[in-house]
């Protein structure tokens, strides 16, 4: 998925001289083609992520549109102050590309389990958040965010499926009237699709843009369902579950909205994201078990 986005960037840099690529010592065998093609619009700042954002802000002052690429936990957690002070406060437009998401870096432990990062950005004005939930979106994501006014954070997950039509902000796969709706993004979309194979009546909402939500377009889709499960590899209290709950309240929708999400950090050692998906019941079996239970009251 990283390769598709970086290849798309390389192609776009050939026609858009505003684009300047920055990385924090990342992307071996992926970023070299950009450096070779555009040595004057490429900079590896090294393992100095806070400087990475500061340099990006300076490039904005020179008229560039910086694209910043590194591991998501370093990009957001380590640089949150710089994102706030250097990008948001000065209304600079920067595109943040965060590689790995959720439990992609499974064996590296909770310091590299990226389950709490994009919720931190929701409190800052002027930044939209996207998640690569399909191959189709990964191929078009950069064109989409470049065309829009706001800064953007693109959360790049590993191993995305091909989902025809899922190349925009979202794709609604309709189920039977009144059946539960599964809402998800990133790698867990695959688990929702597996659940739908077992229960074809389910609706699935594939989200590529996870902040800010388009209430006018999404509300009529939510209104078709009485029960909504938000499946995500991010803490629900600050993630998409919280956003859907807010949308439902503000739009006066009567929904039973439930989170299917990690309940905390885990020190248990797993060699792949599948281990943690099973641990927190984020896999298709866990989703189906949750659906078999009664929705919460209220």
């Amino acid at each position: 998925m990283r390769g598709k986005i970086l290849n798309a960037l390389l192609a776009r840099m050939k026609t858009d001289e505003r684009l300047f690529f920055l990385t924090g010592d990342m992307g071996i065998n992926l970023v070299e083609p950009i450096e070779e093609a555009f040595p004057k619009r490429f900079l590896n700042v090294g393992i100095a992520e806070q400087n990475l954002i500061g340099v990006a802000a300076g490039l904005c002052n020179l008229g560039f549109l910086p694209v910043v690429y590194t591991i998501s936990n370093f990009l957001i957690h380590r640089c949150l102050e710089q994102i706030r002070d250097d990008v948001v406060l000065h209304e600079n437009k920067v595109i943040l590309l965060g590689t790995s998401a959720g439990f992609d870096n499974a064996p590296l432990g909770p310091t590299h389990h990226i389950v709490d990062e994009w919720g931190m950005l929701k409190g800052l004005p002027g930044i939209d958040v996207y998640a690569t939930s399909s191959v189709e979106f990964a191929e078009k994501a950069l064109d989409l965010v470049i065309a829009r006014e706001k800064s953007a954070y693109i959360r790049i997950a590993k191993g995305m499926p091909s989902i025809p039509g899922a190349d925009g902000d979202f794709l609604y796969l309709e189920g039977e009237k009144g059946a539960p709706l599964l809402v998800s993004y990133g790698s867990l979309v695959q688990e929702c699709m597996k659940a739908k194979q077992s229960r074809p009546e389910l609706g699935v909402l594939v989200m590529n843009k996870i902040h800010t939500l388009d209430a006018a377009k999404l509300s009529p889709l939510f209104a078709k369902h009485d029960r909504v499960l938000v499946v995500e590899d991010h803490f629900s209290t600050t993630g998409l579950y919280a956003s859907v709950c807010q949308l439902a309240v503000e739009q006066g929708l009567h929904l039973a909205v439930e989170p299917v999400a990690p309940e905390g950090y885990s020190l248990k050692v797993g060699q792949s994201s599948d281990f943690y998906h099973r641990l927190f019941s984020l896999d298709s079996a866990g989703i189906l078990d949750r659906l078999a239970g009664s929705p919460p009251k209220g």
Side-chain angles (χ1 to χ4, degrees):
M1 207 55 51
R2 294 175 297 168
K4 289 188 178 297
I5 289 181
L6 293 175
N7 287 338
L9 174 62
L10 177 61
R12 184 68 186 247
M13 289 179 73
K14 294 176 182 178
T15 59
D16 191 340
E17 295 185 354
R18 298 175 304 153
L19 295 173
F20 195 113
F21 182 78
L22 297 164
T23 184
D25 205 28
M26 277 293 300
I28 304 303
N29 298 323
L30 287 174
V31 304
E32 286 83 356
I34 299 175
E35 181 179 17
E36 292 169 4
F38 304 102
K40 293 184 178 181
R41 286 189 281 146
F42 176 98
L43 181 62
N44 182 351
V45 306
I47 304 176
E49 290 84 2
Q50 291 160 317
N51 286 341
L52 189 65
I53 301 301
V55 170
L59 287 167
C60 290
N61 293 333
L62 296 176
F64 288 105
L65 173 53
V67 179
V68 181
Y69 171 73
T70 191
I71 299 176
S72 291
N73 58 319
F74 301 137
L75 180 61
I76 305 303
H77 293 152
R78 185 169 293 173
C79 302
L80 188 62
E81 180 182 5
Q82 284 70 34
I83 293 171
R84 176 186 179 273
D85 292 352
D86 298 341
V87 175
V88 172
L89 289 180
H90 295 279
E91 297 183 345
N92 289 319
K93 179 173 178 178
V94 174
I95 297 173
L96 307 172
L97 301 180
T99 182
S100 302
F103 298 103
D104 282 348
N105 290 330
L108 299 181
T111 59
H112 284 62
H113 294 168
I114 306 166
V115 295
D116 55 1
E117 94 295 1
W118 74 265
M120 296 181 180
L121 294 180
K122 286 171 58 179
L124 300 178
I127 299 181
D128 284 334
V129 181
Y130 299 81
T132 56
S133 300
S134 69
V135 171
E136 289 77 6
F137 181 72
E139 293 173 341
K140 295 187 176 181
L142 275 172
D143 285 342
L144 190 152
V145 300
I146 288 171
R148 293 179 172 175
E149 294 183 1
K150 289 185 178 182
S151 290
Y153 167 48
I154 303 178
R155 191 180 200 251
I156 306 172
K158 296 179 180 178
M160 290 300 92
S162 173
I163 306 176
D167 58 357
D169 288 349
F170 63 86
L171 176 67
Y172 178 62
L173 302 174
E174 193 162 5
E176 294 180 6
K177 184 177 181 180
L181 175 68
L182 305 179
V183 183
S184 192
Y185 57 91
S187 60
L188 291 179
V189 165
Q190 299 175 78
E191 300 300 328
C192 292
M193 300 296 280
K194 292 176 185 177
K196 183 172 174 60
Q197 289 176 355
S198 297
R199 290 187 53 178
E201 76 275 13
L202 296 174
V204 175
L205 185 57
V206 179
M207 299 294 294
N208 287 316
K209 186 181 182 186
I210 51 180
H211 178 75
T212 53
L213 300 184
D214 189 330
K217 292 181 179 179
L218 292 173
S219 294
L221 305 180
F222 287 125
K224 296 181 180 182
H225 303 268
D226 297 324
R227 187 181 184 189
V228 175
L229 270 64
V230 181
V231 184
E232 57 184 326
D233 50 10
H234 187 283
F235 292 157
S236 62
T237 51
T238 54
L240 186 59
Y241 166 75
S243 297
V244 171
C245 288
Q246 180 178 349
L247 183 151
V249 170
E250 291 177 347
Q251 298 298 310
L253 301 176
H254 299 286
L255 301 174
V257 186
E258 304 169 50
V260 182
E263 297 173 354
Y265 301 106
S266 175
L267 293 174
K268 294 183 178 180
V269 178
Q271 294 303 309
S272 72
S273 58
D274 291 341
F275 172 86
Y276 295 97
H277 293 170
R278 291 191 298 269
L279 178 67
F280 290 110
S281 298
L282 307 177
D283 59 351
S284 59
I287 295 169
L288 291 171
D289 285 345
R290 174 66 71 87
L291 288 168
S294 299
K297 296 180 180 180

